[in-house]
Amino acid sequence: LSIAGAPRGDETSRGRLGTGRSLGSAGALDTAEMGRREHRANGSGGPGPLLEIPMAPTLRPTKEEFEDPLRYIRALKTSGYNRYGIVKIVPPEGWLPPFAIDQKTFKFNTRVQSINELQRRHIIAAKSQAFMKKLDAFHMSRGQKPPKMPVLYGQKINVFKLYSAVVKRGGYEVVTEEKRWKEVGRLVCAKHKQITNLSFLVRVAYERSLLDFEKYVEKCCEYLKLDTSHLDALTDACDAEDGATSDSGTAVKVELMESPTKRPRAGSQGGEETELAALDGLIGLTENGASEGAPTPVKREPKDEEEEKPKSSDLLVPKPDDDVDMGMDFIDHMLPKDARVSEEPVNLDEVYCELCGGGAHEDQIILCDKCDKGFHTFCLAPPLESIPAGEWCCPDCIFSATDGLAFTEGSDFTVEEFRKMDSQFQQEWFESKGKTPTPSWWEVEDEFWNIVENSDEPCEVFYGADLDSGRLGSGFPHSRHGHTGQYADSPWNLNNLPKLGGKYCSMLRHVTDNINGVIVPWLYMGMTFSSFCWHVEDHMFYSINYNHVGKPKVWYGVPSHSALKFEEVFRRYMPKQFELQPDLLFQLVTMLSPRILKASSVPVYRVVQEAGSFVITFPRAYHGGFNSGFNCAEAVNFAPADWFDFDQDSVDRYREYRRNPVLSHEALLCKVCETDDSPVTARSVQAHLKELILKEAAARQESHLHAKTCRRVACTSHNPGKGFGDDDAECAICKQYMHLSACTCRCTPNYLVCLEDAERMCSCDASQRTLVYRRTLAELEDMYANLLSRVEGCDVARKMSEDFGKYGSETPRRARQAEAWCREAVALLKEGCAPKRAVEDQIDSASKFLWGGHAMDEVRDHVTELEAALEWGREVASCLSAKRRKLQLDFVRGLIGADPKPLDVDLSRLEKWVRDTEGLNETASKVLESTEAKAFTFDEAQDLLKAANRSLIVMPLLEDLTTAVASAEAWCAEAQDFLLLGKTKGAKPPFSALASLSKRGQSKLPGWSIRERVLVQDAIEAVESLEREAEEVVLAKPTLKELDAVLSAGSSIPVSVPQLEEVRRRRQVAREWLREIEDGSARGVKDLRKLLHRGERIPVDLETHVVAMKFRIAVQEWTEKMEGALRARFTNIKTMEEVIEEGVGGVDGVDEDNELVVRARTRIRELTEWSARVGRLDTEKSPLDELRAAIAESSRVGGNAAHLQKAVARRSWEAKVDGLLENNANWEDWDGYEVALAEGRRSGMDPVRMQALEFRQKCMITKALGLGRKYFFFPTRSWGPKKRRGVRSRKRNRSFLHTTLRVNRQSPAPSFYISPKVRESFADESVRRELVPLVQFDLKWTCWRSPTL
């Protein structure tokens, strides 16, 4: 690929395939002219940006070049565009993917950025730490614990910022009087929009944390009122650093004084201390508390311990009445001794490193002066060369002290809300500055850097950064979210780019995990001034950013060749902050003006990224920038093969700062070399694989000094995961992945370190440590050879010889040691009968060679032979051990037949076992021979099998003998089961099964003497005799005793006899008939007669039982007739007397004393008396109680009282209706109307009263409808077909509206429920109630004037 058209004059770069000159001539680019051309292309004819930074190239590839992004980007690097560190790519005309995010529903979280703090964060951080020390000292001097940091809606409030904001506005009393707490809350709390009672919460937080401190400072230090805002102090602090003069015109040089208990620290001088001291002087945090105009403090040099002790006069605490100008350092002296210095002793025997967990190398463990936790100097990030002088704080304490200065969590927005918020902010900000409310990008740039460098005015903006597109959705169409088409499959789609294949492929396609921000793109929602601070990508990847919509993003880039110089300038500008946070550049929270970089000769280039364009950053190119307004961008990493040129540097950088890498460099490199078949990839990574092999070889050779044993493992991790690189352990010291090898120790088996840190892992001897490795160097050499075979035109053998020499990755010294070891091994194997210990020692001594290259192949071969000798010894020992049984005869013969014996082992016991087994085998051959089997009994054959099973060696005929004995045992068991069937109650097999069993016993078993054969033959003869006896019994009509005798004889027979089935059936039928008679289940006459007929037909002699059954039927028949007469509802006296006469005179056993007869005569007497009383009652005039009593008694005596019941019901209903009509109409009586009307219609009551009730209901409903029409929902016109123009419709189709009227007991007027259709057309949305339904019914009408009820 050649890209011509290097920009000339005012043109931007535009590539053309196959024509023109190579992009390598781009060195003559006039970047200043490019910046002017870019300004004219992107803006109006205005004056342009004030920041004189050259523009990076803008490239416009053709459609052909645009087809393969990685090929095009590789050509850019080949042509020298990486010298800028950053470039912009404008897609060909017509390539414009749709914005796939729903701007109304897409919701994202944000971060709050204080733009005015981006460059001076280190000053504010140091100032905040000093303030917190003084605040803690104040509380401890009063015997109080320092209060916890206030939290509002999950966000910690920076007390220093809160204190400064309140004091700047006049203090607590002024802020309260002027009601400015909400203003303070908006400044210190990013989520102030979500808090309704913000003023109250901020005031309470201030009262609890800072009010006492403010009052005390106000009383003791009046000069602090002059200026206490850190925001106002920043300008003066920067002026102090630049050597500005004070108001008196005298040059001010202020240095931060050391505490009397501190020692001076190296490298603590510089402009940063000047800034901090100036800030402390402005808000009263200097050591001597000097105010403006006071003498400049002088830094004290420590002399000796006596001179460093404070004088007694320094410990004096001023009284409230003393009007003395003094600083806040007196607060330190107010502390009691136990508050200033912890007297609690530290147990040095239990000190261990908080990072790696190890307690070794105590001389290199440093204790934090704040939390007393221990840390190895070599575990810190970066490692300390020596124990530092003076006070030292650990990373955790530093982070907790500066935690409030990092970006905080902001509010959640939709895209539309964010756009409107940005538009309002930009307009208000620029109008307040007297500028146009719609600035160009260079005007925003000028204002941005003015805020960052010079402004004391707080400026907080929101930035939706690092939004996971895999969860929230991507700005590009993607199949993951159901999109298809050209742009979803485009290689320039950032969802596809990280894993592109082909000749120019991305190395990240070999990573199986979807790493957010690296493989899965991140979205960025920017607003005016929101910034992305200086940083390089993880692992120094390439990065690509696409601006979907919105205003431009302004980028600044530093090329990779100036990265070290960039870091040097950064450290020189912020030495104190780098001392506290050496990994500051990893935090992405600090900006540095391009002016400072340019003044330090660091090349910086600018890119203005409009919507629809890409920005690409090259590996190790520092970049940062800001947004000129609302925009939505998307970014992701990718890694062409040439990226490996930087990956090792990134790993070394992670190791230096003890940071966890994103992925395993070694694992990725090995996987690429094994699986990627691209020749471009092979050519790019071969040098890196060679470097990895040589580095690993040197590390393993060096590790022999620290680990005497070696062991191969499947993976280095003790708890391997399923993701890419998750089976690689992490070094406990440097936090890097260990793919190829690691070192462990017996003292802490789960504690692994890399080979570079093996010396510092613990204090154990090297004999306690083990080198674990995943691949041998020989396997790595083979991998390198296979990789070279994919490189076009490469002579693999020659290249391997050039790269690794005669011994490959091994050294000549190790090769000579391996040769000496091989000679010793050959001698052991050749002589034979070697001691086992000597063989094991020889194998152990070979472990240091096994991980080596192909030069150690001979060692591996001899180790295999030695392991075979040990295996022979283990087999012999296993044979002699009681734990192992059933040895194969041929196998044991092979062991004792080895010549010479590999090991010195006694084989006499094995030889005896072989002889015994051969004797048993000879006897078994006779037992199995058909001609000699009759001489043996079955028991003798079983004894022989038991003896063979007890033998430690399996005889050859054991399987045949086992089969024969098992067959005989199985037949005998089956025969025994057959013979036992006569004693069981289950189903028996047919006689044919017994005959078959006898036949198989004679033909298929050996000719041994077997007892079960005789028993089976006896059973066959007994069955034949029983069949004849059963046939004789069936021909006659036997008694039950005769049937039982035959069946008893058949129960001892092991098989079923068909002739016994009929005998058994007759006995069963007879017994069932007798059982039914005895249990009395048949009680009715009909059932008893059926039972009698069945008994007469049974072919068994049952005459006695039949006669008794006939007598029982006669008695039962009369009893049922009498009980029926007594159960009748209305008793007939004549019928009952006839039944009595029938029983007393015609049925044996029934007389006048019979219970049923007595009951019948009593019933006749009571019924006669009741009929006489009822005849005397009048249904219209008699009291209702007498009528009801007669009705109740009729059910007992069997009288007919139907006319009385009807009269009582009619008179009760009329009384209830009269009571309802006497009262006024009331909705509480509505249920009574409904019940009375329903009862009247059902029973045909008085029609006059019915009409009165219905009229009362209609009046109530009409009144309710009137109220509803007036106040609620009823339509004011009829529903029907529309009128035709000019013609009046005479006949309308009736259309009905349905609604429901619900009456509420608890309301004086009815409430209305509106149907959905009526509600949609007529109802007022404000009329909605929660109703309690009591009565509901549907109304149907054609117009509201005439409802049909």
Side-chain angles (χ1 to χ4, degrees):
L1 175 66
S2 64
I3 302 182
R8 300 187 305 275
D10 61 349
E11 293 184 357
T12 55
S13 302
R14 182 172 185 87
R16 296 180 178 85
L17 276 174
T19 61
R21 49 201 176 85
S22 171
L23 203 61
S25 61
L29 288 175
D30 184 353
T31 54
E33 179 63 25
M34 288 173 56
R36 292 189 292 272
R37 177 68 183 97
E38 191 73 16
H39 162 58
R40 291 195 296 272
N42 297 326
S44 59
L50 298 178
L51 186 63
E52 296 181 357
I53 298 296
M55 287 286 188
T58 297
L59 306 172
R60 302 178 185 274
T62 63
K63 291 185 178 180
E64 292 77 11
E65 293 170 338
F66 199 69
E67 291 178 355
D68 191 342
L70 295 184
R71 182 168 180 258
Y72 180 72
I73 294 169
R74 182 181 179 88
L76 295 182
K77 181 179 179 182
T78 306
S79 302
Y81 276 91
N82 59 328
R83 74 180 66 179
Y84 303 100
I86 185 172
V87 295
K88 180 172 74 172
I89 296 179
V90 179
E93 185 176 356
W95 196 89
L96 187 63
F99 189 42
I101 289 178
D102 189 342
Q103 302 187 38
K104 294 183 179 180
T105 60
F106 180 85
K107 197 163 188 177
F108 58 93
N109 56 352
T110 60
R111 302 172 184 170
V112 180
Q113 294 182 333
S114 297
I115 304 302
N116 58 307
E117 299 177 1
L118 291 179
Q119 186 166 302
R120 291 170 292 178
R121 186 178 304 277
H122 58 295
I123 301 175
I124 300 171
K127 187 174 184 59
S128 177
Q129 285 183 279
F131 177 82
M132 293 303 298
K133 283 185 178 180
K134 303 301 180 183
L135 182 63
D136 292 348
F138 167 73
H139 286 287
M140 294 175 68
S141 68
R142 304 178 66 181
Q144 301 173 350
K145 291 184 178 180
K148 296 182 179 179
M149 185 175 293
V151 178
L152 294 183
Y153 276 65
Q155 177 189 350
K156 293 182 179 179
I157 301 302
N158 189 323
V159 292
F160 173 56
K161 195 172 183 180
L162 176 60
Y163 178 80
S164 301
V166 173
V167 176
K168 178 182 178 181
R169 288 158 178 79
Y172 172 81
E173 294 182 357
V174 176
V175 173
T176 303
E177 182 179 354
E178 297 179 359
K179 298 182 179 180
R180 302 180 67 182
W181 283 109
K182 189 171 185 180
E183 178 184 343
V184 174
R186 286 197 296 266
L187 182 63
V188 300
C189 183
K191 295 183 177 180
H192 57 82
K193 291 184 178 180
Q194 303 176 12
I195 308 176
T196 56
N197 55 342
L198 178 65
S199 302
F200 171 76
L201 294 178
V202 174
R203 179 172 60 82
V204 171
Y206 189 84
E207 291 173 351
R208 293 179 178 178
S209 303
L210 296 168
L211 181 57
D212 293 341
F213 182 72
E214 179 195 331
K215 291 180 179 179
Y216 189 77
V217 170
E218 182 180 4
K219 196 166 188 179
C220 297
C221 308
E222 292 294 333
Y223 70 91
L224 290 178
K225 295 180 180 179
L226 297 176
D227 191 358
T228 56
S229 171
H230 74 285
L231 302 174
D232 294 341
L234 292 177
T235 302
D236 297 334
C238 294
D239 294 340
E241 181 192 18
D242 297 335
T245 58
S246 64
D247 294 340
S248 62
T250 306
V252 178
K253 182 178 181 181
V254 184
E255 296 182 355
L256 183 64
M257 298 176 60
E258 294 291 334
S259 172
T261 59
K262 296 182 181 178
R263 295 188 299 273
R265 299 174 64 94
S268 62
Q269 59 186 1
E272 184 178 355
E273 284 195 354
T274 306
E275 294 177 3
L276 297 178
L279 288 172
D280 286 346
L282 287 170
I283 71 164
L285 295 182
T286 56
E287 291 295 330
N288 67 341
S291 60
E292 280 193 44
T296 303
V298 180
K299 183 176 181 179
R300 294 179 297 175
E301 296 294 337
K303 297 179 181 180
D304 53 35
E305 295 183 358
E306 294 182 358
E307 294 179 357
E308 289 181 5
K309 294 182 179 179
K311 298 179 180 180
S312 59
S313 59
D314 296 335
L315 300 178
L316 293 178
V317 181
K319 299 179 180 179
D321 297 335
D322 293 343
D323 188 8
V324 182
D325 288 339
M326 59 190 307
M328 294 176 64
D329 58 336
F330 67 85
I331 296 179
D332 292 333
H333 303 308
M334 293 171 57
L335 299 178
K337 291 183 178 180
D338 56 351
R340 290 199 303 268
V341 181
S342 175
E343 299 294 339
E344 182 179 355
V346 179
N347 188 355
L348 295 179
D349 294 335
E350 298 180 359
V351 173
Y352 61 92
C353 177
E354 295 289 336
L355 297 178
C356 68
H361 304 286
E362 292 185 4
D363 57 330
Q364 299 187 51
I365 294 181
I366 180 173
L367 297 181
C368 175
D369 291 332
K370 189 171 183 180
C371 65
D372 285 336
K373 294 181 179 179
F375 299 85
H376 281 127
T377 56
F378 50 79
C379 289
L380 294 170
L384 297 178
E385 298 296 334
S386 61
I387 303 295
E391 182 178 322
W392 179 85
C393 293
C394 66
D396 293 338
C397 293
I398 294 173
F399 177 80
S400 62
T402 60
D403 188 23
L405 300 176
F407 296 151
T408 57
E409 183 180 354
S411 304
D412 294 345
F413 295 90
T414 64
V415 179
E416 281 297 324
E417 292 171 349
F418 199 63
R419 187 199 305 270
K420 293 178 181 178
M421 185 270 298
D422 171 72
S423 177
Q424 181 181 358
F425 169 80
Q426 187 179 83
Q427 180 179 356
E428 292 177 356
W429 182 273
F430 282 91
E431 284 181 350
S432 67
K433 305 299 179 183
K435 300 179 181 180
T436 174
T438 56
S440 60
W441 66 263
W442 57 86
E443 293 172 329
V444 178
E445 180 186 51
D446 296 339
E447 182 65 19
F448 173 79
W449 289 114
N450 180 54
I451 297 172
V452 172
E453 296 175 335
N454 306 313
S455 177
D456 297 332
E457 180 181 3
C459 179
E460 290 189 344
V461 297
F462 294 97
Y463 192 22
D466 302 341
L467 304 177
D468 183 9
S469 65
R471 179 176 59 88
L472 299 175
S474 172
F476 286 97
H478 192 253
S479 58
R480 182 172 60 245
H481 302 109
H483 299 287
T484 57
Q486 169 193 355
Y487 295 107
D489 301 329
S490 172
W492 286 90
N493 186 325
L494 299 194
N495 295 281
N496 304 327
L497 184 63
K499 291 197 173 186
L500 285 182
K503 184 177 180 180
Y504 302 92
C505 57
S506 172
M507 300 300 98
L508 295 179
R509 72 191 185 100
H510 299 284
V511 179
T512 55
D513 296 341
N514 290 326
I515 305 173
N516 289 333
V518 177
I519 296 177
V520 177
W522 269 345
L523 285 170
Y524 296 87
M525 293 291 180
M527 67 171 289
T528 305
F529 299 148
S530 61
S531 63
F532 41 103
C533 299
W534 288 106
H535 68 284
V536 292
E537 299 297 320
D538 293 330
H539 283 271
M540 299 182 183
F541 287 126
Y542 284 79
S543 76
I544 182 169
N545 186 293
Y546 181 77
N547 190 355
H548 286 285
V549 292
K551 295 184 179 180
K553 298 172 74 74
V554 181
W555 295 67
Y556 305 97
V558 175
S560 60
H561 61 79
S562 299
L564 294 178
K565 193 172 184 180
F566 170 87
E567 296 171 2
E568 180 183 353
V569 173
F570 229 111
R571 289 187 175 90
R572 188 169 65 246
Y573 187 78
M574 306 177 185
K576 188 70 176 179
Q577 188 67 4
F578 270 94
E579 183 180 349
L580 294 175
Q581 291 180 285
D583 60 346
L584 180 63
L585 288 174
F586 287 95
Q587 307 299 329
L588 279 78
V589 293
T590 308
M591 287 296 285
L592 189 63
S593 173
R595 293 187 180 92
I596 298 175
L597 297 174
K598 186 177 180 181
S600 302
S601 301
V602 177
V604 185
Y605 299 94
R606 177 200 287 122
V607 165
V608 180
Q609 182 191 14
E610 299 83 1
S613 60
F614 292 94
V615 166
I616 291 178
T617 65
F618 290 91
R620 205 182 182 182
Y622 276 95
H623 53 278
F626 67 93
N627 300 289
S628 64
F630 166 78
N631 57 41
C632 176
E634 192 166 352
V636 78
N637 294 123
F638 62 98
D642 57 28
W643 158 76
F644 274 112
D645 298 341
F646 297 88
D647 189 33
Q648 186 57 51
D649 293 339
S650 71
V651 174
D652 294 340
R653 184 182 176 88
Y654 284 132
R655 183 188 303 277
E656 177 185 1
Y657 289 96
R658 302 302 191 246
R659 294 184 68 88
N660 299 92
V662 176
L663 48 81
S664 174
H665 162 75
E666 296 175 350
L668 180 59
L669 180 59
C670 291
K671 188 171 183 180
V672 167
C673 295
E674 287 178 330
T675 61
D676 200 310
D677 56 357
S678 170
V680 175
T681 302
R683 186 175 296 278
S684 299
V685 304
Q686 62 176 3
H688 303 291
L689 181 58
K690 171 189 170 183
E691 180 183 357
L692 176 66
I693 295 174
L694 295 178
K695 180 181 177 181
E696 183 68 17
R700 292 185 183 184
Q701 293 164 11
E702 181 69 20
S703 68
H704 183 61
L705 301 175
H706 312 296
K708 295 300 183 182
T709 59
C710 305
R711 183 178 76 252
R712 184 165 185 169
V713 292
C715 61
T716 57
S717 175
H718 292 291
N719 299 307
K722 297 181 179 180
F724 179 82
D726 288 348
D727 55 352
D728 295 346
E730 184 182 285
C731 177
I733 296 178
C734 66
K735 308 304 179 186
Q736 302 307 298
Y737 286 117
M738 300 178 292
H739 178 71
L740 294 176
S741 58
C743 189
T744 184
C745 184
R746 295 179 184 176
C747 65
T748 50
N750 294 331
Y751 181 81
L752 289 93
V753 299
C754 62
L755 301 187
E756 296 183 16
D757 296 320
E759 181 181 2
R760 297 186 287 268
M761 68 178 301
C762 63
S763 58
C764 297
D765 186 73
S767 60
Q768 302 297 316
R769 301 177 184 172
T770 302
L771 166 67
V772 295
Y773 60 93
R774 187 172 189 161
R775 301 171 186 261
T776 65
L777 294 181
E779 294 172 344
L780 295 177
E781 292 174 3
D782 293 340
M783 184 190 299
Y784 185 67
N786 292 334
L787 183 68
L788 292 177
S789 65
R790 298 197 291 271
V791 178
E792 298 178 358
C794 179
D795 187 346
V796 177
R798 180 179 177 183
K799 182 66 175 174
M800 290 288 292
S801 178
E802 292 176 355
D803 291 343
F804 298 111
K806 176 181 178 182
Y807 299 105
S809 57
E810 295 292 345
T811 61
R813 180 182 177 184
R814 276 176 49 85
R816 290 192 297 271
Q817 292 175 350
E819 291 176 358
W821 183 92
C822 290
R823 288 192 294 271
E824 296 176 1
V826 169
L828 278 176
L829 294 170
K830 186 176 181 180
E831 294 174 1
C833 294
K836 178 182 177 182
R837 184 64 181 174
V839 175
E840 291 176 345
D841 292 343
Q842 190 69 15
I843 292 177
D844 291 341
S845 64
S847 63
K848 61 183 179 181
F849 303 114
L850 297 181
W851 50 258
H854 282 295
M856 302 298 161
D857 286 345
E858 185 179 358
V859 175
R860 298 186 183 94
D861 293 340
H862 288 309
V863 167
T864 303
E865 296 176 2
L866 291 174
E867 289 177 345
L870 288 179
E871 180 63 23
W872 180 87
R874 284 192 291 270
E875 291 293 347
V876 171
S878 179
C879 292
L880 295 173
S881 173
K883 296 180 181 179
R884 179 167 178 175
R885 301 292 182 182
K886 302 306 176 188
L887 306 173
Q888 296 297 324
L889 183 61
D890 293 339
F891 174 74
V892 178
R893 285 172 178 169
L895 289 178
I896 64 179
D899 188 22
K901 294 187 298 182
L903 299 179
D904 186 12
V905 179
D906 184 12
L907 301 178
S908 59
R909 290 172 60 193
L910 286 180
E911 294 172 350
K912 180 179 181 301
W913 292 349
V914 169
R915 291 193 299 270
D916 294 343
T917 302
E918 290 174 346
L920 290 175
N921 192 66
E922 183 178 357
T923 304
S925 64
K926 296 179 181 179
V927 171
L928 296 175
E929 184 68 31
S930 59
T931 57
E932 300 181 7
K934 295 181 180 180
F936 295 92
T937 63
F938 180 47
D939 294 337
E940 291 175 345
Q942 288 179 317
D943 293 340
L944 178 61
L945 179 61
K946 291 178 182 178
N949 287 330
R950 285 194 302 268
S951 176
L952 299 179
I953 300 177
V954 179
M955 68 178 186
L957 293 177
L958 177 62
E959 184 177 356
D960 296 339
L961 179 61
T962 302
T963 302
V965 172
S967 300
E969 289 177 346
W971 184 89
C972 292
E974 186 179 357
Q976 291 172 1
D977 293 340
F978 251 104
L979 297 177
L980 291 175
L981 286 178
K983 301 179 182 180
T984 60
K985 298 181 179 180
K988 297 181 180 180
F991 176 72
S992 59
L994 182 62
S996 175
L997 177 65
S998 176
K999 183 178 180 181
R1000 285 187 283 108
Q1002 296 295 336
S1003 61
K1004 294 187 177 182
L1005 297 183
W1008 305 327
S1009 175
I1010 302 176
R1011 182 175 58 88
E1012 282 74 7
R1013 286 176 178 169
V1014 179
L1015 297 177
V1016 169
Q1017 187 62 34
D1018 294 342
I1020 291 176
E1021 295 176 357
V1023 169
E1024 294 175 350
S1025 174
L1026 184 61
E1027 287 178 349
R1028 293 190 295 270
E1029 184 178 354
E1031 289 175 355
E1032 295 175 357
V1033 171
V1034 167
L1035 295 178
K1037 191 175 182 179
T1039 62
L1040 284 174
K1041 291 184 179 180
E1042 294 174 346
L1043 296 176
D1044 291 339
V1046 174
L1047 292 176
S1048 176
S1051 62
S1052 61
I1053 301 299
V1055 296
S1056 62
V1057 179
Q1059 289 79 0
L1060 293 180
E1061 293 301 323
E1062 178 61 20
V1063 177
R1064 188 176 293 106
R1065 187 190 67 80
R1066 290 186 182 185
R1067 185 184 67 171
Q1068 181 178 359
V1069 171
R1071 285 184 174 179
E1072 289 179 356
W1073 186 78
L1074 292 176
R1075 192 180 303 112
E1076 290 183 17
I1077 294 175
E1078 292 172 359
D1079 61 17
S1081 58
R1083 297 181 179 180
V1085 175
K1086 187 176 180 180
D1087 293 338
L1088 292 174
R1089 291 187 182 279
K1090 289 182 179 179
L1091 188 61
L1092 175 62
H1093 294 320
R1094 282 174 48 201
E1096 291 175 347
R1097 293 195 299 271
I1098 294 175
V1100 179
D1101 187 4
L1102 301 172
E1103 186 63 26
T1104 304
H1105 300 287
V1106 170
V1107 173
M1109 192 65 177
K1110 290 178 180 180
F1111 174 76
R1112 180 180 175 185
I1113 290 173
V1115 176
Q1116 184 65 27
E1117 187 174 7
W1118 178 85
T1119 302
E1120 289 181 358
K1121 187 182 294 185
M1122 177 55 72
E1123 288 177 350
L1126 292 173
R1127 284 195 303 269
R1129 181 178 181 185
F1130 304 118
T1131 304
N1132 191 318
I1133 297 176
K1134 182 179 179 181
T1135 303
M1136 188 171 289
E1137 290 177 348
E1138 291 176 356
V1139 175
I1140 292 173
E1141 293 299 330
E1142 180 183 349
V1144 172
V1147 178
D1148 292 339
V1150 178
D1151 53 14
E1152 289 294 338
D1153 296 333
N1154 187 281
E1155 181 183 359
L1156 294 177
V1157 174
V1158 174
R1159 287 175 55 193
R1161 297 220 183 266
T1162 303
R1163 174 68 63 84
I1164 292 172
R1165 185 179 64 258
E1166 291 176 349
L1167 180 58
T1168 302
E1169 294 173 355
W1170 178 83
S1171 298
R1173 287 197 304 271
V1174 169
R1176 294 191 294 270
L1177 294 176
D1178 187 353
T1179 58
E1180 295 297 332
K1181 298 179 181 180
S1182 298
L1184 289 176
D1185 293 339
E1186 293 183 5
L1187 296 178
R1188 291 191 180 98
I1191 293 172
E1193 189 178 0
S1194 66
S1195 60
R1196 182 177 63 81
V1197 301
N1200 188 354
H1203 64 291
L1204 298 179
Q1205 293 174 347
K1206 186 174 181 180
V1208 170
R1210 176 175 53 79
R1211 291 174 63 184
S1212 299
W1213 180 84
E1214 289 174 354
K1216 181 171 63 176
V1217 171
D1218 292 342
L1220 289 173
L1221 293 176
E1222 286 176 0
N1223 299 329
N1224 294 329
N1226 192 340
W1227 286 102
E1228 295 180 353
D1229 296 333
W1230 181 269
D1231 288 344
Y1233 298 153
E1234 288 292 312
V1235 173
L1237 283 172
E1239 186 178 352
R1241 295 188 187 98
R1242 184 172 59 252
S1243 302
M1245 296 300 180
D1246 183 14
V1248 177
R1249 289 182 174 85
M1250 292 282 291
Q1251 290 178 4
L1253 286 175
E1254 291 175 353
F1255 179 75
R1256 177 67 62 87
Q1257 276 194 321
K1258 290 180 181 181
C1259 291
M1260 295 174 67
I1261 294 173
T1262 302
K1263 183 177 180 180
L1265 293 177
L1267 291 174
R1269 174 174 61 82
K1270 183 176 181 180
Y1271 295 107
F1272 294 97
F1273 62 92
F1274 293 102
T1276 58
R1277 61 179 177 83
S1278 301
W1279 278 49
K1282 295 182 179 180
K1283 299 178 181 179
R1284 290 178 294 175
R1285 183 175 298 178
V1287 180
R1288 190 178 188 121
S1289 176
R1290 296 183 178 178
K1291 184 178 181 182
R1292 296 190 178 188
N1293 296 327
R1294 294 186 65 187
S1295 59
F1296 298 100
L1297 291 178
H1298 295 270
T1299 187
T1300 301
L1301 172 65
R1302 291 182 176 174
V1303 182
N1304 191 340
R1305 286 181 186 271
Q1306 302 173 0
S1307 176
S1311 302
F1312 295 91
Y1313 167 75
I1314 307 169
S1315 66
K1317 185 172 182 181
V1318 175
R1319 183 191 305 133
E1320 181 180 354
S1321 302
F1322 300 101
D1324 185 354
E1325 288 295 326
S1326 64
V1327 184
R1328 291 187 177 179
R1329 306 184 182 183
E1330 185 70 23
L1331 303 175
V1332 180
L1334 175 63
V1335 178
Q1336 71 176 33
F1337 56 92
D1338 288 337
L1339 303 178
K1340 300 180 181 180
W1341 70 91
T1342 55
C1343 69
W1344 62 270
R1345 298 180 184 277
S1346 57
T1348 303
L1349 301 177

